[in-house]
């Protein structure tokens, strides 16, 4: 039985914040690696471990959580939309087009939910990137100061910088994530215990997170470059223009900068997210509905 929107909000929020708090330093490492255009020089990062060492040594351990406030504030609507919109699109596609439950349906609903989700997370992602960027250390006093400076320099439309690339990123990730979850769940044997069900969900969510991350990393690199650009800079303008430019200037491998910390976060993170969400959903259905 689908959960009402408000219970999706509760379960999705707790699941999302749990994943975020555990995995956020990997997101900071991913952003730092995606923003750098060269791996030479004393300040360049060469690996995840090198990112962590240099951040802690040069900026202090708290910098590993720099920029976390905007993602936390948007986590509730983001996760509620991810799961409730996926359920809503699934029902709508089945009723309107008669599509049976299948991997194709899961991909279609995931892509649709991802597009919806992107409109919520676009501006907070911009604030997060600005705060995570080492070049901006000391430039902003916090998320609200980022907003003020963006609006002063570019107007309110400046808060939508990178939205198109964010839409591509979330559409591709959610399509891969929910599509693979359906396939993996079908392939795995039915669990006989509650612990087995949790393990099955963790495996499905982890594999889904890895596939979604592999598919969407080029557009994520493009989004990071667009949102990390200085005010008035127009080198990176759109998702696929940026993808082509990065591949031409830095080589195709540059489209997967930050892939390892990203997949380490969103692979197991996708498993954590699904396990916590399904567990809470089950408890809500059992005790509160």
């Amino acid at each position: 039985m689908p959960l009402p929107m408000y219970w999706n909000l509760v379960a999705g929020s707790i699941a999302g914040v749990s994943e975020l708090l555990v995995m956020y330093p990997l997101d900071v490492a991913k952003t730092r690696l995606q923003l750098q255009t060269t791996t030479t020089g004393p300040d360049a990062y060469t690996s995840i471990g090198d990112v962590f060492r240099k951040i802690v040594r040069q900026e202090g351990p708290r910098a590993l959580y720099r920029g976390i406030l905007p993602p936390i504030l948007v986590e509730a609507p983001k996760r509620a939309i991810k799961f409730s919109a996926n359920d809503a699109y699934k029902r709508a596609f089945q009723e309107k087009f008669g599509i049976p439950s299948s991997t194709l349906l899961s991909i279609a609903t995931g892509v649709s939910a991802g597009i919806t989700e992107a409109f919520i997370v676009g501006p907070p992602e911009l604030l997060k990137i600005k705060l995570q960027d080492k070049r901006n250390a000391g430039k902003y006093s916090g998320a609200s100061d980022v907003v003020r400076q963006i609006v002063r320099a570019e107007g309110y439309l400046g808060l939508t910088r990178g939205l198109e690339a964010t839409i591509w990123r979330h559409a591709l990730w959610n399509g891969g994530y929910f599509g693979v979850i359906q396939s993996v769940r079908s392939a795995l044997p039915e669990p006989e215990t509650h612990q087995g069900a949790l393990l099955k969900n963790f495996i499905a969510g982890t594999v889904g997170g890895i596939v979604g991350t592999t598919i969407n990393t080029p557009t994520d690199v493009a989004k990071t470059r667009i949102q990390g650009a200085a005010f008035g800079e127009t080198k990176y303008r759109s998702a696929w223009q940026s993808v082509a430019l990065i591949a031409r200037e830095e080589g195709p491998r540059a489209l997967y900068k930050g892939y390892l910390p990203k997949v380490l976060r969103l692979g197991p993170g996708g498993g954590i997210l699904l396990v916590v969400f399904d567990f809470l959903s089950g408890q809500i259905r059992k005790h509160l509905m």
Side-chain angles (χ1 to χ4, degrees), residues 10-267:
V10 172
S13 300
I14 296 172
V17 171
S18 300
E19 184 271 339
L20 185 66
L21 292 174
V22 173
M23 298 293 186
Y24 189 77
L26 287 168
D27 189 71
V28 175
K30 178 210 72 167
T31 299
R32 294 291 180 93
L33 289 166
Q34 288 180 344
L35 284 171
Q36 71 176 11
T37 57
T38 179
T39 56
T40 60
D43 292 327
Y45 302 116
T46 58
S47 66
I48 301 175
D50 188 46
V51 175
F52 288 154
R53 281 192 299 271
K54 285 179 177 174
I55 288 177
V56 171
R57 185 173 67 247
Q58 297 172 3
E59 305 167 55
R62 291 180 60 184
L64 294 173
Y65 281 86
R66 181 179 292 157
I68 196 173
L69 182 59
I72 283 181
L73 293 177
V74 80
E75 199 63 34
K78 173 183 173 181
R79 297 309 184 185
I81 287 171
K82 180 183 291 293
F83 290 101
S84 61
N86 188 68
D87 287 342
Y89 282 121
K90 181 177 181 179
R91 292 195 299 271
F93 289 167
Q94 287 179 321
E95 292 171 5
K96 188 171 181 63
F97 303 111
I99 304 175
S101 293
S102 62
T103 299
L104 180 61
L105 176 62
S106 296
I107 293 172
T109 58
V111 168
S112 301
I115 293 171
T116 305
E117 180 185 10
F119 284 95
I120 301 297
V121 306
E125 276 286 316
L126 174 61
L127 306 185
K128 184 195 75 171
I129 296 297
K130 293 293 190 187
L131 290 167
Q132 288 180 339
D133 191 346
K134 182 181 179 180
R135 296 171 299 180
N136 295 334
K139 183 177 181 179
Y140 304 112
S141 60
S144 60
D145 189 40
V146 179
V147 172
R148 282 193 295 271
Q149 293 198 37
I150 290 174
V151 173
R152 187 186 309 127
E154 302 180 341
Y156 286 100
L157 282 178
L159 295 172
T160 65
R161 178 190 285 257
L163 178 59
E164 175 257 358
T166 304
I167 290 172
W168 278 108
R169 183 184 80 152
H170 283 263
L172 292 171
W173 196 88
N174 279 270
Y177 180 68
F178 285 109
V180 168
I181 284 172
Q182 171 75 17
S183 299
V184 173
R185 278 174 165 168
S186 300
L188 292 173
E190 283 300 315
E192 298 180 358
T193 64
H194 177 65
Q195 289 75 15
L198 291 177
L199 178 61
K200 181 177 179 178
N201 278 334
F202 182 78
I203 292 171
T206 299
V207 175
I210 291 171
V211 171
T213 299
T214 302
I215 293 170
N216 90 331
T217 294
T219 54
D220 187 40
V221 175
K223 181 200 76 69
T224 300
R225 295 290 181 88
I226 294 167
Q227 293 183 327
F231 297 141
E233 185 181 334
T234 58
K235 180 178 181 179
Y236 304 107
R237 299 187 299 277
S238 65
W240 299 108
Q241 174 267 338
S242 298
V243 165
L245 181 61
I246 292 166
R248 185 169 65 250
E249 291 187 346
E250 302 170 45
R253 290 183 62 183
L255 295 172
Y256 278 85
K257 284 185 175 181
Y259 175 76
L260 185 55
K262 181 176 167 68
V263 80
L264 287 175
R265 180 198 170 186
L266 295 177

